[in-house]
Amino acid sequence: MVFEWGAMDKREDKSVNGCENTGGEREKAQPHIRVENLTMAYGDFVIQRDLNFTIRRGDIFIIMGGSGCGKSTLLRHLVGLHRPAAGRVDFDGIDFWAVEDAERARLMRLCGVLYQRGALWSSLTLAENIALPLQEYTRLNSAQIRELASLKLSLVGLTGFEDYYPAEISGGMQKRAALARAMALDPEVLFFDEPSAGLDPISARMLDDLIIELRESLGATVVVVTHELASIFAIGSDSIFLDAETKTIIAQGPPRDLLEQCSEPRVRQFLTRGEEKKKGDS
């Protein structure tokens, strides 16, 4: 999903409310997804408005902000589950909502999604869960699908767990199995909705490491919705901050750069867990 260049690129190079987008070498990467003037709404109720940002190839792009600001809603717009109230989302220069249904379905198959709760079918084994999209969208025979399901499970460290049911494995393993299913069709873009939710710190760190490993080995672009600071700083190469009060983006850039340079108080409070506000009040 990508947009027209020109003035939009110049605008993105400037600061957002005093929070500079200092991309460095990543500015050389090609845009993969581009969002322009996006407004998200349910009826007359606006969630976020006038969103403009670019996700470049190979990014681990973080969508962050406080609870209820619209992070998961934005993710649903990016994967094609919600039509924007205004604006556009482009994928490799193609306006997602301006094309025919068949072309939009093809673009959606280039995306893999890890849902917040994993969303594995409890009545199916791990291998059968991964087989579902392969059965639906490929012409592979059952033996080939079984072999491919085993390969995807091995990529996330679950070799030998093909015949286990989701209830028979831990929460962290369920997340990894759901990631294996998200990779079933070899997507160009992987979307994660709160991947660390419900995981202990060690499992969360292992999942972060796995995300980086898969990005490097598969060459995929990764988009992560999260409010977990440890993950944000460990894996994020670029980010946007959605603000519930102003209903728009108030900061964008590499997370560590925002921590060091951003002057927007709400962003700083978020990235320091409110510690800066406490210091100011003392």
Side-chain angles (χ1 to χ4, degrees), residues 1-6 8-9 12 25-35 53-59 61 90-94 188-189 221 238:
M1 306 174 184
V2 189
F3 267 9
E4 281 157 328
W5 292 83
M8 178 58 200
D9 275 346
E12 285 183 338
E25 285 296 313
R26 59 169 297 281
E27 291 298 327
K28 299 177 182 178
Q30 289 296 312
H32 202 165
I33 298 170
R34 184 167 281 184
V35 172
F53 61 92
T54 297
I55 302 171
R56 299 182 183 274
R57 286 191 175 275
D59 266 348
F61 190 92
D90 282 20
F91 186 95
D92 274 344
I94 301 172
E188 294 184 5
V189 188
T221 300
D238 198 12

Side-chain angles (χ1 to χ4, degrees), residues 119-280:
L120 295 170
W121 292 93
S122 60
S123 60
L124 301 179
T125 66
L126 302 189
E128 289 169 341
N129 267 279
I130 297 167
L132 281 176
L134 296 169
Q135 292 166 346
E136 183 72 19
Y137 297 113
T138 74
R139 296 181 179 179
L140 300 175
N141 61 42
S142 57
Q144 291 170 323
I145 288 174
R146 174 76 181 186
E147 182 179 354
L148 196 51
S150 295
L151 172 62
K152 300 300 181 181
L153 285 170
S154 71
L155 289 175
V156 298
L158 291 176
T159 300
F161 285 86
E162 289 86 349
D163 296 323
Y164 281 67
Y165 289 90
E168 296 176 326
I169 59 177
S170 69
M173 294 169 75
Q174 289 178 18
K175 287 288 180 77
R176 284 188 278 149
L179 175 54
R181 185 182 59 187
M183 298 189 301
L185 297 175
D186 296 324
E188 294 184 5
V189 188
L190 283 167
F191 293 92
F192 296 79
D193 189 5
E194 300 285 4
S196 301
L199 298 183
D200 64 80
I202 295 175
S203 296
R205 174 60 186 271
M206 290 175 63
L207 186 58
D208 287 344
D209 291 343
L210 179 59
I211 290 171
I212 294 173
E213 202 175 298
L214 291 173
R215 189 277 306 266
E216 292 175 349
S217 61
L218 302 178
T221 300
V222 178
V223 181
V224 183
V225 167
T226 185
H227 60 264
E228 297 287 345
L229 289 181
S231 294
I232 288 170
F233 293 127
I235 67 175
S237 61
D238 198 12
S239 67
I240 56 172
F241 188 96
L242 301 183
D243 181 49
E245 185 176 325
T246 59
K247 296 188 176 183
T248 195
I249 296 171
I250 61 172
Q252 53 185 301
R256 290 193 178 276
D257 288 0
L258 294 183
L259 177 63
E260 296 170 1
Q261 302 171 11
C262 184
S263 60
E264 168 58 53
R266 288 190 292 276
V267 177
R268 298 203 61 79
Q269 288 169 22
F270 180 91
L271 293 176
T272 63
R273 291 180 174 168
E275 290 301 318
E276 289 207 354
K277 186 179 182 192
K278 290 179 184 178
K279 290 178 185 177

Side-chain angles (χ1 to χ4, degrees), residues 57-109:
R57 286 191 175 275
D59 266 348
I60 298 182
F61 190 92
I62 306 294
I63 299 172
M64 58 182 171
S67 298
C69 68
K71 301 185 297 293
S72 294
T73 300
L74 175 55
L75 188 73
R76 288 193 287 272
H77 280 73
L78 295 179
V79 301
L81 296 180
H82 280 317
R83 182 183 290 270
R88 52 187 278 176
V89 177
D90 282 20
F91 186 95
D92 274 344
I94 301 172
D95 184 345
F96 192 82
W97 292 103
V99 297
E100 298 293 330
D101 290 347
E103 175 65 2
R104 187 156 52 248
R106 184 191 71 81
L107 292 174
M108 291 176 74
R109 289 196 293 273

